[in-house]
Amino acid sequence: MVPISSRMKTKVPYTVPKLKDFSPAALDEAVRTLLAAVVREAGAVTSESEWKVFRDRWMARTNGFLSQVNTLWLKAAPKDAKRDVGQRVNEVKKRVDETIAAALERMQGMTSTSRLNAEHLDVTLPGIKRPLGAEHPVIKTMNEMVGVFRNLGYSVEEGPEIETDYYNFEALNFPPNHPARDTQDTLFIAHQESKPLRERLLLRTHTSPVQIRTMEKMKPPVRVVCPGKVHRNDALDATHSPIFHQIEGLAVDTNITFCDLKGTLDHAMKAMFGSSVRTRFYPSFFPFTEPSADVQISCIFCGGRGYRDGGPCRNCKASGWIELLGCGMVDPNVYGFVDYDAKRVSGFAFGMGVERIAILKYGVDDIQLFFNGDVRFLQQFG
Ligand code: DAH
């Protein structure tokens, strides 16, 4: 008896026959021989590299067995047999494909049982813990301040960071060429000289334009806070950043007075910094408020005394006061831009820098820390 292995070797290797006859019976025979050959060859494969040779013999685009089947069987078929031959050829391709894929799985030991074993999953193991993120200190401060005003019945409005000259300046009563514009270190978008001034685009330098946008769409009574990002052409150092955040506030109704402004801001500062903090209002100038004031709070580091640890307090430069925000009664000219009746309504506005508040609240000594993204800094606010 001849041993199986040498019987295999002596077997004539498969070649795709030319078909003389395209009858169903002849096709059956050709397909049967072909499939027997592919199954036999698949069974003889013992390694991945052998499998590759085997695959190429059958699948190679030029002159692989399947491409030969295409030429010798399908293309050669007479017109009336094409349909039938086409179906058989498709079937052959599918079966050959499957046989070759199965051979690879076998090579990789990837039968369904071994695969199940390999991918065994113990669902009782503890999961992977992903650390929870924390609010960024700037956003946290902003949310806290917004929360204080929400509790007073204010709602929140937002506006675009790319603004027109009209909203950032003109409607806020900064006339063209007025020197007050110089204080804003504006970043303008280039190549807009052909547009009228009021339509030219810039990066908003403050959140005050949202006041105008709000009054355009809402009739009094208005009580809103407008948090957001602003941009200035400032060189960066420990206290300046070209990008920072502000919160704007606006209240317009009948009979709103400077007293309401003082009471509101005094309450907000106490809510943020503690009930022992005192406020004081210092005359100032903003084009969109009249009168205008800067608000100072008693120094939270030295309790307003001006000295600490036997020396002058560095945080308030020994004055006992820290300047924190701007405010005032809305200038009647502003009402003119939004169709409010300046004879019937009055209101106040205020604006504050969020980073500045966060710096004081958390004792941060460099504004850059907020933007560098160093997790060792950020983790302290979890
Ligand atoms: N927009 C001002 C600035 O960025 C801040 C400000 C001051 C806003 C007084 C106000 C205000 O609403 O009444 O310099």
Side-chain angles (χ1 to χ4, degrees):
M1 170 131 170
V2 187
I4 291 176
S5 57
S6 61
R7 228 198 294 159
M8 294 259 302
K9 275 191 192 128
T10 53
K11 184 131 195 138
V12 188
Y14 178 73
T15 48
V16 179
K18 273 193 182 152
L19 296 185
K20 292 186 208 79
D21 174 1
F22 289 88
S23 69
L27 280 172
D28 271 352
E29 174 57 21
V31 168
R32 201 175 321 119
T33 322
L34 180 144
L35 292 179
V38 75
V39 168
R40 189 173 60 242
E41 286 189 22
V45 164
T46 58
S47 69
E48 266 195 67
S49 58
E50 275 182 35
W51 174 82
K52 278 190 186 139
V53 176
F54 159 62
R55 178 199 58 192
D56 293 345
R57 259 163 71 74
W58 286 86
M59 311 274 273
R61 266 175 197 276
T62 41
N63 233 23
F65 288 159
L66 287 185
S67 97
Q68 289 182 36
V69 163
N70 239 6
T71 333
L72 299 178
W73 297 6
L74 187 57
K75 286 207 180 123
K79 251 202 171 129
D80 57 349
K82 277 243 191 306
R83 224 178 102 96
D84 197 25
V85 176
Q87 269 176 7
R88 307 300 294 257
V89 167
N90 280 343
E91 172 71 16
V92 161
K93 284 185 178 158
K94 195 167 152 250
R95 298 279 293 275
V96 168
D97 246 17
E98 286 166 3
T99 310
I100 291 176
L104 179 63
E105 281 201 4
R106 187 167 57 77
M107 276 319 93
Q108 297 172 333
M110 284 306 215
T111 59
S112 57
T113 348
S114 59
R115 196 160 157 185
L116 272 179
N117 287 336
E119 292 175 12
H120 173 77
L121 175 68
D122 183 350
V123 292
T124 64
L125 284 173
I128 299 165
K129 275 202 186 144
R130 305 205 185 277
L132 271 186
E135 250 177 347
H136 188 280
V138 170
I139 301 300
K140 188 178 164 126
T141 308
M142 194 149 93
N143 286 343
E144 264 175 49
M145 189 58 91
V146 166
V148 169
F149 284 95
R150 271 190 185 281
N151 288 343
L152 292 174
Y154 285 61
S155 53
V156 178
E157 286 291 328
E158 287 179 309
E161 278 172 46
I162 300 175
E163 261 301 2
T164 58
D165 189 279
Y166 177 77
Y167 286 106
N168 199 75
F169 290 125
E170 190 179 334
L172 287 163
N173 201 31
F174 290 79
N177 301 317
H178 192 279
R181 289 180 171 225
D182 295 348
T183 63
Q184 298 271 322
D185 302 308
T186 312
L187 290 159
F188 292 94
I189 304 220
H191 308 309
Q192 300 189 84
E193 294 73 15
S194 60
K195 287 190 193 167
L197 179 65
R198 53 162 56 182
E199 286 170 26
R200 291 186 203 164
L201 297 174
L202 45 81
L203 299 184
R204 69 175 178 194
T205 57
H206 49 180
T207 41
S208 304
V210 191
Q211 285 187 25
I212 305 296
R213 291 184 174 275
T214 305
M215 287 190 281
E216 277 181 349
K217 64 176 190 193
M218 260 184 224
K219 290 283 150 223
V222 167
R223 280 174 185 75
V224 290
V225 276
C226 321
K229 199 181 281 170
V230 302
H231 305 254
R232 296 213 185 168
N233 185 18
D234 266 337
L236 76 202
D237 61 26
T239 52
H240 293 88
S241 163
I243 301 177
F244 58 104
H245 298 77
Q246 287 189 337
I247 297 174
E248 189 79 14
L250 175 72
V252 183
D253 204 339
T254 48
N255 297 322
I256 291 204
T257 68
F258 203 92
C259 260
D260 299 311
L261 170 60
K262 284 188 83 170
T264 303
L265 289 181
D266 188 72
H267 165 80
M269 294 303 111
K270 287 182 161 65
M272 276 311 268
F273 293 103
S275 56
S276 59
V277 156
R278 286 162 293 128
T279 51
R280 108 178 156 173
F281 289 68
Y282 224 75
S284 184
F285 172 78
F286 300 101
F288 39 92
T289 43
E290 182 60 35
S292 306
D294 284 327
V295 182
Q296 304 177 342
I297 60 167
S298 54
C299 179
I300 53 174
F301 300 96
C302 64
R305 283 183 293 276
Y307 57 88
R308 185 162 59 122
D309 303 331
C313 174
R314 282 185 297 122
N315 297 89
C316 61
K317 300 204 180 81
S319 71
W321 295 96
I322 293 178
E323 194 170 300
L324 211 52
L325 62 134
C327 67
M329 300 306 290
V330 178
D331 190 306
N333 285 351
V334 171
Y335 296 133
F337 285 97
V338 294
D339 264 346
Y340 276 19
D341 183 351
K343 287 197 209 68
R344 289 197 46 235
V345 296
S346 60
F348 61 75
F350 55 88
M352 56 188 115
V354 181
E355 282 77 2
R356 182 141 171 69
I357 294 171
I359 280 174
L360 289 176
K361 236 180 119 71
Y362 298 114
V364 175
D365 55 13
D366 187 343
I367 195 171
Q368 299 304 320
L369 288 166
F370 291 131
F371 305 112
N372 289 345
D374 186 332
V375 283
R376 289 168 305 178
F377 171 73
L378 298 172
Q379 268 166 348
Q380 299 175 51
F381 301 90

